[in-house]
Amino acid sequence: MVSIPFDAALLDGYRAVQEAGSGPMSMERLPKVRAEDAAEVPTLDELRQGGRFEVTSHSVPGASGTSEAELLICTPAAVSDPAASRPVIYFVHGGGYFSGDPRHLLFLERLLDEAERFGASLISAGYRLAPEHPYPAPLDDVYAGLLWSVEHAAELGLDADRIVVAGTSAGGGLAAALSLSVRDKGGPRLVGQLLMCPMLDDRNDSASARQMDGVDVWDRGWNGFGWKALLGAECGGPDVSPYAAPARATDLSGLPPAFIDVGSAETLRDEAVAYADRIWRAGGSAELHVWSGGYHTFHLVVPDAVISRAAWQARRSWLERVLRGLTSRPGPEPSDVARGRRPA
């Protein structure tokens, strides 16, 4: 199968990633991958950026009561009305379910800009990593963190009625699973879910997964390792929970408005497109962007490329609309359409 070419402005970044991390992922390689991640984690003082943000870290009891997860709360120091409650971007980091850190600036830098733009608090949620802590541990942790944030909203100055859950890659999958969990198990009414190149389907057998195998920076081998770390022997089988792999959900109705984006030249393309399509079929709201020539997390690898800036602009536009409550206006009732009435 012929692979899709990359956007020309992304090629240097692609080569750099391949040189730094080429080769298959394995359990033997896992300690090295985690050590490389840990070496890039900033201190809380570095995240404050010279007083631009107030940053605090909180240890939150997990759902089982036997574990704790870190919540990093970043609030712009300059807000128009310090007494007003702030909207929340509740972010879940990526890393294939087996690596990553809630403090990692690679994931947080642009979201901090958006938090400042909208006068929002950015909450970056930590979670236990697979395979030491397989499903449901990561979801339990981010779910417990969300409930804790709502419970303490008043003292933290947060608006519990304006929460967007967001995530990149594995974090995008967890954000989608969190939206399903809140719908089905209880929790705050989320105003949106921002899913950036999300990992949604453990079956790892789509046309795009096969097309970009050995080419994308996150190819079928790395993707498969992540899902097997999370699910073990159940990975790809018939009984995987939709709260583990949201593509398995049979009902996508009643979810908060979604923004889903993905590159045309990445492994996860088809599962992201299918997820948006199924939300539409269920009568829900989803905005889908497929960025031509984009590989996995291109917007993080080459953030200044024209395509990356366009991706952030699209996310910013959507965030502005959901935080202002402009995405949930209902369409005309079928009976009105049948009678030939135009919506007001």
Side-chain angles (χ1 to χ4, degrees):
M1 186 178 292
V2 178
S3 60
I4 293 177
F6 299 137
D7 183 286
L10 303 177
L11 288 175
D12 286 346
Y14 172 78
R15 296 186 186 104
V17 171
Q18 291 295 79
E19 289 172 6
S22 60
M25 184 57 193
S26 64
M27 285 298 297
E28 292 72 26
R29 190 174 183 175
L30 183 57
K32 181 175 183 291
V33 169
R34 288 178 174 172
E36 290 170 350
D37 277 351
E40 296 180 358
V41 173
T43 64
L44 291 185
D45 193 54
E46 289 171 329
L47 284 169
R48 293 185 181 105
Q49 300 184 15
R52 184 182 167 201
F53 295 93
E54 297 174 4
V55 180
T56 56
S57 177
H58 303 262
S59 293
V60 177
S64 66
T66 60
S67 64
E68 289 189 340
E70 181 181 17
L71 282 188
L72 194 69
I73 303 180
C74 308
T75 300
V79 292
S80 57
D81 183 359
S85 56
R86 298 176 299 276
V88 177
I89 301 172
Y90 186 86
F91 177 71
V92 188
H93 68 80
Y97 299 110
F98 57 80
S99 67
D101 188 282
R103 304 186 187 199
H104 207 305
L105 198 56
L106 175 68
F107 294 112
L108 296 183
E109 189 166 22
R110 293 302 296 264
L111 284 170
L112 287 169
D113 292 342
E114 302 310 317
E116 188 173 53
R117 179 182 299 272
F118 295 114
S121 284
L122 172 64
I123 300 180
S124 184
Y127 54 91
R128 289 167 291 169
L129 300 175
E132 297 91 338
H133 304 285
Y135 173 80
L139 179 59
D140 283 348
D141 289 347
V142 298
Y143 183 63
L146 179 65
L147 297 183
W148 183 92
S149 300
V150 172
E151 181 182 349
H152 294 82
E155 65 192 76
L156 295 170
L158 307 177
D159 186 345
D161 294 321
R162 285 193 295 163
I163 300 176
V164 172
V165 295
T168 302
S169 194
L174 282 168
L178 188 56
S179 297
L180 289 166
S181 298
V182 167
R183 181 196 67 181
D184 297 341
K185 301 176 183 180
R189 176 186 174 273
L190 303 173
V191 298
Q193 49 179 326
L194 174 60
L195 312 180
M196 296 172 278
C197 52
M199 288 177 65
L200 299 168
D201 196 338
D202 64 295
R203 288 163 291 197
N204 196 26
D205 63 354
S206 68
S208 59
R210 296 179 182 278
Q211 183 179 32
M212 302 309 295
D213 192 20
V215 181
D216 188 13
V217 297
W218 182 259
D219 71 358
R220 198 176 179 211
W222 283 73
N223 195 49
F225 180 88
W227 281 114
K228 288 174 184 175
L230 183 71
L231 297 173
E234 291 188 8
C235 181
D239 300 321
V240 171
S241 168
Y243 306 118
R248 299 293 196 122
T250 57
D251 178 11
L252 295 183
S253 64
L255 293 173
F259 179 101
I260 303 172
D261 70 350
V262 69
S264 69
E266 73 164 290
T267 298
L268 307 181
R269 179 195 68 217
D270 290 355
E271 61 201 68
V273 171
Y275 201 70
D277 181 65
R278 292 179 57 220
I279 290 174
W280 295 325
R281 289 171 183 265
S285 171
E287 180 171 326
L288 173 67
H289 293 262
V290 181
W291 300 103
S292 180
Y295 48 76
H296 189 61
T297 67
F298 67 87
H299 62 282
L300 301 178
V301 177
V302 191
D304 292 327
V306 171
I307 185 178
S308 302
R309 294 199 302 269
W312 275 112
Q313 180 58 49
R315 296 165 190 152
R316 180 178 304 130
S317 173
W318 179 84
L319 276 171
E320 181 173 21
R321 283 177 279 135
V322 297
L323 291 176
R324 292 185 178 180
L326 301 177
T327 61
S328 301
R329 183 178 179 183
E333 291 294 326
S335 58
D336 289 339
V337 175
R339 296 186 187 105
R341 297 178 185 171
R342 295 183 180 274

